[in-house]
């Protein structure tokens, strides 16, 4: 069956370090993959989209990689700040014009 | 981007009643979606709201339980009918300007059914 896996345990990172979140998927061949941020009590906010023919994409302190062989995306936040604390959702093209979301990883940046 | 508002932001309802959630977008969009997010779970797509025709429901969701309207390109409603405590969840509206584009989400409606 199709599956998207994100680390269900919360990730604690010291301020200033790089936070790396992982998204693995099985039985999909997505044309693109997206990352969203969700704060408590709010809807997800789009961060980055990376297409299957792109290896890496950057936006300010964010970097996303997409390895279609490993079926994995890594999401990096460099020079992390307490304000980066949130849940980060991986989402991918599930076909039929749908986006399939992972459960998300809670990130805590410790001051 | 798109600015999306939802009403109500939260509600507490009695078992057996129905609640209609409204979603308003600040500009015309092609695709509108309704999701449910239960505690600790991922977003689950309920249906695609189609303008001028019946919504397209995902497996496990039916029109009688979740009737959807989309009278124009900027507005949609989702009704949660004959509610039970299992319907307690956050309901989110999202829009997509074009196929394969990013989705923009509303703030969500937190529903508690007693």
């Amino acid at each position: 069956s199709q599956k998207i896996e994100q680390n269900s345990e919360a990730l604690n990172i010291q301020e200033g370090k790089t936070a790396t979140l992982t998204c693995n998927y099985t039985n999909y061949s997505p044309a693109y993959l997206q990352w969203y941020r969700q704060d408590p009590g709010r809807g997800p906010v789009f961060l980055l989209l990376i297409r299957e023919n792109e290896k890496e994409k950057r936006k300010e302190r964010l970097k996303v990689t997409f390895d279609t062989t490993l079926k994995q995306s890594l999401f990096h936040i460099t020079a992390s700040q307490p304000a980066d604390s949130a849940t980060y959702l991986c989402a991918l093209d599930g076909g039929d014009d749908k986006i399939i979301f992972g459960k998300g990883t809670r990130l805590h940046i410790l001051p | 981007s798109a600015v999306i508002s939802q009403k109500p932001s939260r509600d507490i309802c009695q078992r057996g009643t129905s609640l209609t959630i409204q979603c308003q977008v600040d500009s015309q969009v092609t695709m509108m979606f309704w999701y449910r997010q239960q505690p600790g779970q991922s977003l689950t797509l309920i249906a695609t709201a189609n303008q001028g025709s019946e919504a397209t429901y995902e497996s496990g969701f039916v029109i009688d339980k979740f009737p959807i309207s989309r009278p124009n390109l900027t507005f949609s409603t989702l009704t949660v009918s004959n509610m039970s405590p299992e319907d307690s969840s956050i309901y989110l509206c999202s829009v997509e300007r074009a196929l394969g584009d990013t989705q923009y989400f509303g703030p969500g409606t937190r529903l508690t059914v007693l």
Side-chain angles (χ1 to χ4, degrees), chain B residues 10-110:
Chain B
R10 59 177 63 224
D11 207 343
I12 300 172
C13 301
Q14 295 295 322
R15 181 195 296 262
T17 62
S18 297
L19 176 71
T20 295
I21 302 168
Q22 298 180 6
C23 176
Q24 180 75 53
V25 191
D26 67 340
S27 58
Q28 293 185 346
V29 292
T30 306
M31 313 285 282
M32 290 183 80
F33 306 92
W34 286 98
Y35 286 85
R36 181 173 74 182
Q37 187 176 31
Q38 293 177 311
Q41 301 298 311
S42 62
L43 283 82
T44 301
L45 181 63
I46 297 172
T48 302
N50 300 310
Q51 195 266 329
S53 64
E54 200 169 276
T56 306
Y57 290 84
E58 296 302 304
S59 175
F61 298 96
V62 296
I63 188 171
D64 290 345
K65 176 67 177 177
F66 297 101
I68 288 171
S69 80
R70 188 163 177 203
N72 56 52
L73 293 175
T74 63
F75 185 78
S76 178
T77 67
L78 168 76
T79 298
V80 186
S81 303
N82 188 25
M83 289 183 284
S84 67
E86 292 71 35
D87 294 319
S88 297
S89 185
I90 297 173
Y91 291 85
L92 294 143
C93 163
S94 78
V95 304
E96 191 175 289
R97 294 194 178 281
L99 291 180
D101 197 359
T102 62
Q103 288 199 11
Y104 300 95
F105 284 84
T109 296
R110 182 180 292 273

Side-chain angles (χ1 to χ4, degrees), chain A residues 5-17:
Chain A
E5 291 181 350
Q6 293 187 255
N7 193 339
S8 58
E9 295 179 10
L11 185 63
N12 296 318
I13 299 293
Q14 204 65 42
E15 181 178 5
K17 302 291 186 185

Side-chain angles (χ1 to χ4, degrees), chain A:
Chain A
S1 62
Q2 297 173 322
K3 213 186 280 187
I4 303 173
E5 291 181 350
Q6 293 187 255
N7 193 339
S8 58
E9 295 179 10
L11 185 63
N12 296 318
I13 299 293
Q14 204 65 42
E15 181 178 5
K17 302 291 186 185
T18 296
T20 299
L21 286 68
T22 304
C23 175
N24 295 298
Y25 59 92
T26 57
N27 297 324
Y28 282 110
S29 295
Y32 59 84
L33 189 146
Q34 302 177 357
W35 285 88
Y36 290 78
R37 169 181 173 145
Q38 187 172 25
D39 292 285
R42 295 176 177 262
V45 174
F46 169 77
L47 296 174
L48 280 168
L49 180 151
I50 186 166
R51 301 194 183 276
E52 61 180 336
N53 60 345
E54 299 175 313
K55 295 292 185 190
E56 180 180 299
K57 186 164 269 190
R58 292 175 185 261
K59 179 182 175 183
E60 296 173 353
R61 294 185 295 112
L62 309 180
K63 184 178 86 170
V64 171
T65 63
F66 191 9
D67 189 324
T68 55
T69 302
L70 290 178
K71 294 187 182 293
Q72 180 182 81
S73 174
L74 298 178
F75 176 81
H76 306 273
I77 305 175
T78 59
S80 58
Q81 304 166 0
D84 295 326
S85 299
T87 296
Y88 290 86
L89 305 172
C90 164
L92 51 80
D93 161 36
D96 295 326
D97 306 329
K98 294 172 199 168
I99 293 178
I100 310 297
F101 285 84
K103 290 186 180 181
T105 297
R106 280 181 295 118
L107 174 65
H108 298 296
I109 304 300
L110 307 173

